[in-house]
Amino acid sequence: MYFPQICGKTVVSHLAKNFGVDLATKKEVLLNQEEKKLADRLSLMIRMAATGELVMSDRHELVRNEDEDGGDEDWDFEEEEGVETKREISQKMLDEALAFYRSGKRKRNHRGEGIRSFESMKSRFRWFNNESVLKLMIKYERTGVFPAKRNIQLEKLANDLNKEVEDILNQGLQFSDFELRELALSINREKKYWEKFKVRFQFSYEKIVDLFKCSESWLLKWKKRFRICGRRITEFVSTKTERDAKKTLELVETLRKDIETVFINNPGIEMWNCDQTGLVKESHSMRTLARKGSRKVKILVQSKSATTHSITLLPIIGCDGFQHEKLFVQLGEPKGRLPKSGCYTSSKMELAVGTSHIMSRETAGEFFKNVLFGGYIPPKLILLLDSWPIFKDHAYIRSFAPPTVDLHIFNIPPGATSLCQPADLSYNRQVKGIQKQLTTMVLFRNIDYRLSARDNLLKLACQIHWVLGAVRFQPFIAYGFFQGGFVKTRPPPFEGPKQYIFGPKSYDSCSCSAQGCTLCPKCEKSYCFNCFWVNLHRC
């Protein structure tokens, strides 16, 4: 707030009255050192207020929502509010106003410099319409730096601080506003974006003042501009894990280069990827619609034990969108064998049984013999496998391959499956997504069908494999190889299998007049749950 009409004697008299001091007495009052310093400070403030040089501003605190999107693009990087004027102020205008301000002969400040009242300045310069202009002019006189240059320097400081913070975030270091302010001041001291200056007070008292203080308001605006806010820590990672992650990235890059070399030296070669994936007998999504603010969200399941027991699928996909006609499935049974009554089988599915759903060397041999090398196999083939010990035994794998096949086997480095495994990046996610959608549908529509039963689960796996083999989903399968960095050509745009088969058209009536739930990707007709998933529609 600006005080143009202040009388120092009136203020002192009022203070004396409030503190019960009799100004009529001539008794001398003795002050200690601290009291004298305080008296000098108050005296200086009253004198500056009387001459119009004291500008007081209120402090406002802004509480910002952490989830607020977007940055403050209009911030001018200043620590305080900018000058509210409709006209842009130039350096020449400030020089003229300052010369007129100091030409006042009647009014003098405590340093003996001439000053003029705010009304006088306003009547002479029409753009001098705000108390912030006076503050801006006095700051310009003391520092000798035009405000526009200050904004440029502070913008450089803000951008440099953003770069430092980006490095800190990439390193995963924990920091708060205290460290952020320390970093900003350190950058300013090092690069001298906004240096210090001297302020001379009464009695030849000088004080060094930092032009840039990194105030709370500046820090808040900076965080809003660069979208930085406090977040809850969700994971703790050791330094060893971080070092291993860098090493893994280097191994992945080496693998991509090696495969690229094989592609260049072997025109017409094909690339296949085999990856085991566990399919929970009853799988549910971890998200559902609920009332906002609900503390507990419970959902109904058909069998709680089925949500923790799995079977293993081992599909084969190619970089051109190829899907092998046969699906390998590993079941886990208590005695390691199927019941005498048998179970569902299909010519498009190779079934192996063990005491666990986890594949062994013996069942891996069945996969190599009956599926991978048991049907169509290209004359030149790159086989991309993960780092499962059996998959790393290249001699064992080659013992099942026809001698005429030019086979190149590569293993994905341990810990890099989520980075470059094609099946993991696209195919397997859709398999599980379709199963979760069907589980939700069965419970929501109250369909009398137990998906986790052995035969029903095998039917589901076989039907999902048939669905994903549609021609329209070839770009989707190929995208996994592109995303993994093994293919340079991006596949054409595609619609995901789950989005397509459960899209808006899937609600059309089935040929049996029942409510539809699945759109066939081959004949493009809608079918009900019973026709498509129980009776296994094929076209």
Side-chain angles (χ1 to χ4, degrees):
M1 185 179 295
Y2 177 65
F3 298 93
Q5 305 291 340
I6 286 180
C7 177
K9 291 181 180 180
T10 304
V11 175
V12 173
S13 176
H14 180 72
L15 289 174
K17 184 178 179 180
N18 285 347
F19 287 96
V21 178
D22 186 6
L23 298 178
T25 179
K26 296 183 179 180
K27 184 179 179 180
E28 185 177 356
V29 180
L30 298 178
L31 304 176
N32 60 31
Q33 186 66 24
E34 293 300 322
E35 290 173 339
K36 189 173 185 306
K37 286 172 63 178
L38 179 59
D40 290 343
R41 182 67 58 84
L42 292 174
S43 175
L44 176 61
M45 291 175 64
I46 293 172
R47 290 176 184 274
M48 292 181 68
T51 58
E53 287 190 296
L54 180 65
V55 179
M56 298 179 64
S57 60
D58 296 328
R59 175 181 171 181
H60 301 275
E61 292 188 0
L62 174 64
V63 179
R64 180 191 172 209
N65 183 2
E66 289 186 353
D67 295 327
E68 183 180 354
D69 293 329
D72 184 5
E73 299 296 336
D74 297 329
W75 180 42
D76 61 356
F77 303 96
E78 279 285 357
E79 286 196 84
E80 298 147 344
E81 293 183 359
V83 178
E84 297 178 5
T85 177
K86 295 182 179 179
R87 185 174 177 183
E88 186 177 352
I89 302 175
S90 65
Q91 188 170 0
K92 182 180 179 181
M93 293 164 64
L94 272 185
D95 288 334
E96 293 176 357
L98 183 59
F100 179 74
Y101 180 72
R102 290 305 183 194
S103 65
K105 300 188 182 291
R106 282 189 173 183
K107 298 184 74 174
R108 296 273 174 175
N109 61 13
H110 64 284
R111 289 191 295 270
E113 298 170 334
I115 61 173
R116 290 184 181 273
S117 66
F118 179 76
E119 286 75 11
S120 177
M121 297 296 296
K122 186 177 179 180
S123 62
R124 177 66 178 268
F125 304 99
R126 292 188 178 275
W127 51 268
F128 213 98
N129 59 352
N130 192 284
E131 62 190 40
S132 298
V133 181
L134 177 61
K135 186 177 181 180
L136 181 76
M137 186 182 69
I138 294 174
K139 184 184 290 187
Y140 167 63
E141 180 188 27
R142 292 183 180 179
T143 62
V145 181
F146 185 61
K149 184 178 179 182
R150 172 185 170 88
N151 290 351
I152 294 173
Q153 294 297 92
L154 290 179
E155 183 177 5
K156 292 179 181 177
L157 171 60
N159 291 330
D160 282 356
L161 179 60
N162 182 46
K163 292 177 183 178
E164 292 290 339
V165 168
E166 188 65 28
D167 291 339
I168 292 173
L169 294 175
N170 291 334
Q171 294 176 38
L173 299 178
Q174 185 178 5
F175 68 109
S176 62
D177 284 1
F178 179 83
E179 287 78 19
L180 190 61
R181 180 179 287 105
E182 181 182 356
L183 186 60
L185 294 173
S186 175
I187 292 173
N188 186 51
R189 285 194 298 269
E190 179 183 352
K191 299 192 176 181
K192 298 180 180 180
Y193 283 125
W194 205 244
E195 299 184 28
K196 302 177 180 180
F197 73 103
K198 291 182 180 180
V199 175
R200 182 181 294 274
F201 294 94
Q202 201 173 12
F203 311 114
S204 300
Y205 172 67
E206 290 186 352
K207 182 180 179 181
I208 304 298
V209 179
D210 266 313
L211 289 177
F212 176 71
K213 299 178 181 179
C214 194
S215 62
E216 291 182 13
S217 61
W218 188 89
L219 209 57
L220 181 65
K221 291 174 182 176
W222 181 90
K223 290 194 292 183
K224 187 176 181 181
R225 173 67 178 266
F226 293 100
R227 305 184 70 226
I228 299 293
C229 62
R231 307 298 293 178
R232 182 179 178 273
I233 297 172
T234 58
E235 184 180 2
F236 290 94
V237 182
S238 66
T239 53
K240 181 180 183 301
T241 304
E242 284 296 298
R243 288 196 300 268
D244 291 346
K246 293 181 180 179
K247 186 178 179 181
T248 300
L249 287 174
E250 294 175 359
L251 293 174
V252 169
E253 287 301 320
T254 302
L255 173 65
R256 288 167 178 164
K257 292 178 181 178
D258 292 343
I259 291 179
E260 184 180 3
T261 302
V262 175
F263 267 115
I264 294 173
N265 296 333
N266 297 271
I269 194 171
E270 296 186 32
M271 182 178 182
W272 286 2
N273 176 225
C274 312
D275 180 41
Q276 301 177 68
T277 181
L279 193 67
V280 180
K281 292 183 178 180
E282 185 176 341
S283 182
H284 293 268
S285 172
M286 296 308 293
R287 300 189 68 85
T288 184
L289 296 178
R291 292 290 182 189
K292 196 171 184 179
S294 302
R295 291 185 176 273
K296 289 185 178 180
V297 180
K298 298 179 182 179
I299 62 167
L300 186 68
V301 298
Q302 290 182 326
S303 172
K304 196 171 181 180
S305 62
T307 61
T308 58
H309 291 69
S310 309
I311 65 172
T312 297
L313 306 183
L314 185 51
I316 304 172
I317 58 175
C319 64
D320 58 352
F322 164 83
Q323 178 191 248
H324 201 281
E325 63 176 0
K326 215 167 188 180
L327 174 67
F328 184 83
V329 181
Q330 165 91 31
L331 284 178
E333 295 293 328
K335 296 183 180 181
R337 61 178 184 271
L338 292 173
K340 294 180 180 179
S341 57
C343 66
Y344 172 79
T345 57
S346 171
S347 60
K348 302 299 182 182
M349 181 174 64
E350 179 71 23
L351 189 61
V353 186
T355 55
S356 169
H357 71 278
I358 299 174
M359 290 180 63
S360 62
R361 190 177 185 87
E362 182 180 352
T363 52
E366 293 181 32
F367 166 72
F368 294 134
K369 180 180 179 181
N370 301 326
V371 181
L372 182 60
F373 301 116
Y376 163 75
I377 181 132
K380 295 181 181 180
L381 177 64
I382 295 175
L383 194 57
L384 184 62
L385 307 170
D386 59 25
S387 293
W388 186 40
I390 298 174
F391 283 169
K392 294 173 73 174
D393 190 348
H394 295 182
Y396 180 68
I397 296 173
R398 291 180 188 277
S399 65
F400 295 95
T404 56
V405 176
D406 184 11
L407 185 62
H408 302 264
I409 304 174
F410 292 93
N411 294 103
I412 295 172
T417 298
S418 60
L419 298 175
C420 63
Q421 177 84 272
D424 232 28
L425 293 174
S426 59
Y427 190 91
N428 293 339
R429 293 182 182 180
Q430 288 288 316
V431 171
K432 296 175 181 179
I434 292 173
Q435 184 199 16
K436 290 175 183 177
Q437 183 64 40
L438 289 172
T439 304
T440 302
M441 185 186 300
V442 167
L443 290 169
F444 187 79
R445 295 191 180 186
N446 197 23
I447 300 174
D448 186 16
Y449 190 78
R450 196 177 185 85
L451 284 170
S452 58
R454 184 194 302 110
D455 279 17
N456 296 340
L457 189 60
L458 292 174
K459 283 183 179 180
L460 175 68
C462 192
Q463 188 70 350
I464 291 176
H465 186 260
W466 179 82
V467 166
L468 296 179
V471 176
R472 69 166 54 251
F473 295 142
Q474 287 182 355
F476 150 74
I477 295 175
Y479 183 76
F481 292 85
F482 171 76
Q483 193 176 5
F486 301 110
V487 176
K488 302 298 182 182
T489 305
R490 186 186 186 96
F494 59 86
E495 188 174 6
K498 179 185 173 183
Q499 289 71 26
Y500 178 83
I501 66 174
F502 297 124
K505 293 182 179 180
S506 65
Y507 297 103
D508 296 341
S509 296
C510 178
S511 57
C512 67
S513 301
Q515 173 68 48
C517 71
T518 306
L519 184 65
C520 177
K522 297 185 179 181
C523 65
E524 300 182 359
K525 295 179 181 179
S526 179
Y527 293 89
C528 66
F529 183 85
N530 189 63
C531 290
F532 197 88
W533 298 102
V534 179
N535 297 331
L536 302 183
H537 160 78
R538 300 291 166 89
C539 57

